[in-house]
Amino acid sequence: MTATTPAQALPSPCVNVCKMDAATGWCEGCLRTIEEIAGWSALDAAARQAVWAQLPLRRAQLKPQPA
């Protein structure tokens, strides 16, 4: 049996829709930056949580605002 570190316990937000949006710099699937995606495996639990915390804010920015 292998132990799970706290960083490993927090899963990647990847949803297998890997296409970068040129305007935002975010993946269209998971809304992470290329730097966040590339460095995910090296991030500690606090850094992973910080990325997760940004995702709802990014999603809200993508929604059309009522006129």
Side-chain angles (χ1 to χ4, degrees):
M1 184 167 148
T2 57
T4 301
T5 66
Q8 291 171 328
L10 196 57
S12 167
C14 181
V15 295
N16 295 318
V17 177
C18 305
K19 182 178 177 189
M20 299 306 291
D21 182 284
T24 63
W26 303 330
C27 172
E28 290 182 10
C30 67
L31 301 178
R32 291 181 293 167
T33 65
I34 195 70
E35 291 82 11
E36 291 166 344
I37 294 167
W40 186 260
S41 62
L43 295 179
D44 63 18
R48 287 183 178 198
Q49 183 58 45
V51 172
W52 269 102
Q54 289 297 311
L55 303 182
L57 303 172
R58 293 174 184 174
R59 188 167 315 282
Q61 289 178 6
L62 294 178
K63 289 185 178 177
Q65 301 301 318

